Amino acid sequence: MQKTTKLSGRRFMTAMACALCLMAASCSSSEDEPKPQENDPEVTYKGNVAYSDGLVFNGNELGNGTQNFHLTGDVTLEKGTYLLKGWVYVDEGATLRIPAGTVIKGDKETMAALIVEPGGYCEMKGTAQEPIVMTSAQVPGQRRPGDWGGLIICGKGLNNQGTQQIEGGPTTIHGGNSKADNSGIYSYIRVEFAGYPFDTDKEINGVTFGSVGSGTQIDHIQVSYSNDDSFEWFGGSANCSYLIAYKGWDDDFDTDNGFDGEVSYCLSVRDPRIADTSQSNGFESDNNASGAETTPFTSAKFRNITLVGPNTAKNAGFVNSSDYITAGDMFPDNGSKLGRFQSAFQIRRSSKLNVSNALAIGWPVGLIIDGEKGQTVSYAKEGAFKLENIVFAGMDAIGTDKNKEYSDYFFDYLTGTEDRTKDSFSHTFFLSGAGNRIMEESALNLTDPLMTGQNFCPASEISDGKGGYIGAFRDASDNWMRGWTNFDPQNTVY
């Protein structure tokens, strides 16, 4: 049974009071704030799920407060500051446009998240001068990882599970057969303090991609203080560029279920006191959870990457233990559990992830080719994926062959044998890659031109010997982060 409810607009007395103020030339409003509406949009309920062709309520709220709110119409927001309430879905056939300079604050009580459904379309077109900011609704000084849900983008692209429900709790089913599917434009965006834990081990990531097709534009996105992974791809063929993972809880870049897009120019910077109970990695890559050899394979190509781990020269005194890794004043007290740091790259469960021109600094382990499940070790031996032109600096172990193993020795899951007199297979595989090498952090001549708190940018180019360069930045004049990024979101007044 359907029930239709017309939700009331602003009260008459409020409108009259503002009108009187305007007549007296003493009632003013910022040009950056959305204009109050005469009436809120009409809402139809099916059970406890709300549907509406409008989105803005009470002047500046996105969603009507219902936990599951579905936009069915075509909405263009005015530039301004909004409060996102509940899980707001952009339904198939619906369109949402968010202009540059808009700030969206996620409501903690309703686990707010913005979810683009397969067939839905969202344009988030920020600029370097006016990025779109999605952040915590908590006041400066009291923001924590997991204050709200996050940004979830889903499409009708390919994955190796057919169709599947997106991670984190929302009901969205993603997947299809359109490799070039278009879910919109996502450019110059900051996502801060996301990852609300809907349930145990069911946090939403900072930004989640579910079967997003190559027709979607994705560039210049910074995720800061996510309570789970900063970025995660479940299948799809999306091409992405200029991504920043800043002080996340779990993995920085997580690829699953047949993601085969191309991703370039990525930076991650870790907080040495924040690591997940599952062991945090720069990259974690699976073909799928069981390691089955289902197609399409996770075979994405990442290039020009910089991963700044916890054990850098600026993090003197770092210890990879629970006594040190406490999250400090960023601990959210929401059930999230802390653990240890693990590797710059963990490739496992039949993944065929490709990485080139990367710089990884200060991780306990450089590379894990993990053979516990699936065929990743066999694929590595066959040359089915490549790791090339990669520099490791400041690693405790160049490689290990086991998850949660920190000693560099040979182990073979297939036979169950080990040889502690030999380097790990992961170590030897890394050194066999064209252009791969090991350096000292001090030899890299790194700088911190944007005051991230860590040295991440070489003063001069680290050449790959082929006309390209190693890492996400050519040199200290490479300024693709300038203007739109923020490395102190805790204290920013929005």
Side-chain angles (χ1 to χ4, degrees):
M1 179 177 180
Q2 296 186 12
K3 178 178 70 175
T4 302
T5 305
K6 188 68 173 291
L7 299 179
S8 63
R10 291 182 173 274
R11 295 182 178 180
F12 175 77
M13 291 301 293
T14 302
M16 288 299 295
C18 189
L20 290 171
C21 289
L22 283 167
M23 292 173 64
S26 61
C27 181
S28 63
S29 61
S30 168
E31 292 182 359
D32 288 344
E33 296 306 313
K35 297 175 183 177
Q37 296 176 308
E38 290 296 323
N39 295 291
D40 287 342
E42 186 173 306
V43 178
T44 299
Y45 286 90
K46 295 180 181 179
N48 62 352
V49 180
Y51 296 85
S52 177
D53 62 4
L55 182 60
V56 182
F57 295 81
N58 300 319
N60 70 340
E61 294 180 1
L62 303 182
N64 69 342
T66 303
Q67 185 60 59
N68 293 283
F69 180 93
H70 288 251
L71 172 67
T72 60
D74 188 322
V75 172
T76 299
L77 297 181
E78 295 182 11
K79 174 186 171 182
T81 300
Y82 297 86
L83 179 66
L84 179 68
K85 301 188 75 173
W87 290 345
V88 173
Y89 298 81
V90 180
D91 272 12
E92 182 170 10
T95 297
L96 173 62
R97 301 176 187 87
I98 302 174
T102 296
V103 175
I104 297 174
K105 299 180 179 181
D107 179 53
K108 189 170 184 176
E109 183 177 355
T110 58
M111 304 177 284
L114 180 62
I115 304 145
V116 181
E117 294 267 79
Y121 187 87
C122 186
E123 286 187 4
M124 301 181 69
K125 297 172 67 173
T127 67
Q129 296 73 34
E130 291 190 297
I132 294 167
V133 179
M134 305 183 75
T135 192
S136 168
Q138 304 302 104
V139 299
Q142 296 182 22
R143 297 164 183 156
R144 300 291 184 271
D147 275 350
W148 63 290
L151 175 60
I152 300 173
I153 307 164
C154 292
K156 298 182 178 182
L158 305 177
N159 70 70
N160 59 31
Q161 301 297 295
T163 57
Q164 59 184 138
Q165 184 174 342
I166 197 65
E167 183 181 73
T171 58
T172 301
I173 305 297
H174 63 92
N177 57 12
S178 178
K179 189 179 179 73
D181 191 41
N182 186 353
S183 295
I185 299 172
Y186 306 87
S187 184
Y188 289 103
I189 301 167
R190 295 203 306 265
V191 177
E192 302 166 351
F193 302 102
Y196 192 100
F198 168 67
D199 204 347
T200 303
D201 297 326
K202 286 188 177 180
E203 303 91 350
I204 298 173
N205 301 299
V207 179
T208 305
F209 302 99
S211 303
V212 176
S214 60
T216 308
Q217 179 182 329
I218 302 164
D219 63 88
H220 296 90
I221 300 178
Q222 178 180 12
V223 175
S224 299
Y225 292 104
S226 172
N227 203 187
D228 195 28
D229 298 332
S230 293
F231 296 89
E232 185 159 10
W233 293 261
F234 293 94
S237 303
N239 300 316
C240 312
S241 58
Y242 303 108
L243 307 182
I244 303 166
Y246 187 67
K247 298 190 174 183
W249 197 273
D250 195 3
D251 305 315
D252 297 314
F253 306 103
D254 195 334
T255 55
D256 302 277
N257 297 142
F259 175 52
D260 64 1
E262 296 187 7
V263 184
S264 56
Y265 305 106
C266 300
L267 169 69
S268 75
V269 175
R270 300 302 303 220
D271 185 322
R273 294 188 181 272
I274 299 177
D276 189 60
T277 184
S278 66
Q279 313 288 294
S280 293
N281 303 287
F283 277 77
E284 182 180 272
S285 185
D286 303 344
N287 195 47
N288 52 55
S290 69
E293 297 175 84
T294 51
T295 59
F297 280 93
T298 298
S299 55
K301 295 178 175 64
F302 282 77
R303 65 178 178 86
N304 289 102
I305 312 298
T306 298
L307 306 175
V308 181
N311 193 19
T312 64
K314 281 201 170 187
N315 293 339
F318 168 75
V319 180
N320 200 17
S321 73
S322 59
D323 292 335
Y324 185 91
I325 300 172
T326 63
D329 59 7
M330 280 293 176
F331 187 71
D333 197 23
N334 61 7
S336 296
K337 298 178 182 178
L338 291 159
R340 303 172 72 190
F341 287 96
Q342 185 167 242
S343 66
F345 300 94
Q346 183 180 27
I347 306 175
R348 62 184 189 176
R349 298 177 182 174
S350 297
S351 171
K352 298 180 181 180
L353 184 74
N354 299 273
V355 183
S356 63
N357 293 55
L359 173 62
I361 311 149
W363 288 84
V365 181
L367 172 66
I368 305 174
I369 303 294
D370 187 338
E372 183 176 8
K373 296 180 180 180
Q375 300 299 318
T376 295
V377 173
S378 296
Y379 297 151
K381 292 176 179 178
E382 296 166 3
F385 65 92
K386 296 183 183 301
L387 306 180
E388 297 181 334
N389 294 313
I390 299 174
V391 172
F392 282 172
M395 305 298 178
D396 294 332
I398 300 306
T400 66
D401 293 337
K402 287 183 181 181
N403 187 42
K404 300 182 181 180
E405 175 58 62
Y406 291 82
S407 297
D408 193 338
Y409 63 88
F410 178 83
F411 178 81
D412 186 342
Y413 269 106
L414 189 62
T415 62
T417 59
E418 66 177 50
D419 186 343
R420 292 180 178 262
T421 67
K422 294 173 58 177
D423 291 333
S424 64
F425 169 75
S426 303
H427 183 144
T428 57
F429 178 75
F430 173 76
L431 292 181
S432 71
N436 292 349
R437 57 192 188 272
I438 301 165
M439 298 177 65
E440 297 294 329
E441 181 182 348
S442 58
L444 297 172
N445 197 18
L446 298 176
T447 64
D448 185 16
L450 289 183
M451 304 299 291
T452 68
Q454 289 293 326
N455 292 327
F456 67 93
C457 184
S460 56
E461 178 183 298
I462 303 173
S463 174
D464 67 356
K466 298 179 179 180
Y469 57 91
I470 304 296
F473 304 88
R474 181 179 294 277
D475 53 37
S477 68
D478 191 347
N479 61 359
W480 61 259
M481 292 201 306
R482 195 171 302 280
W484 62 279
T485 56
N486 182 2
F487 297 100
D488 187 19
Q490 178 63 277
N491 296 303
T492 301
V493 177
Y494 291 113

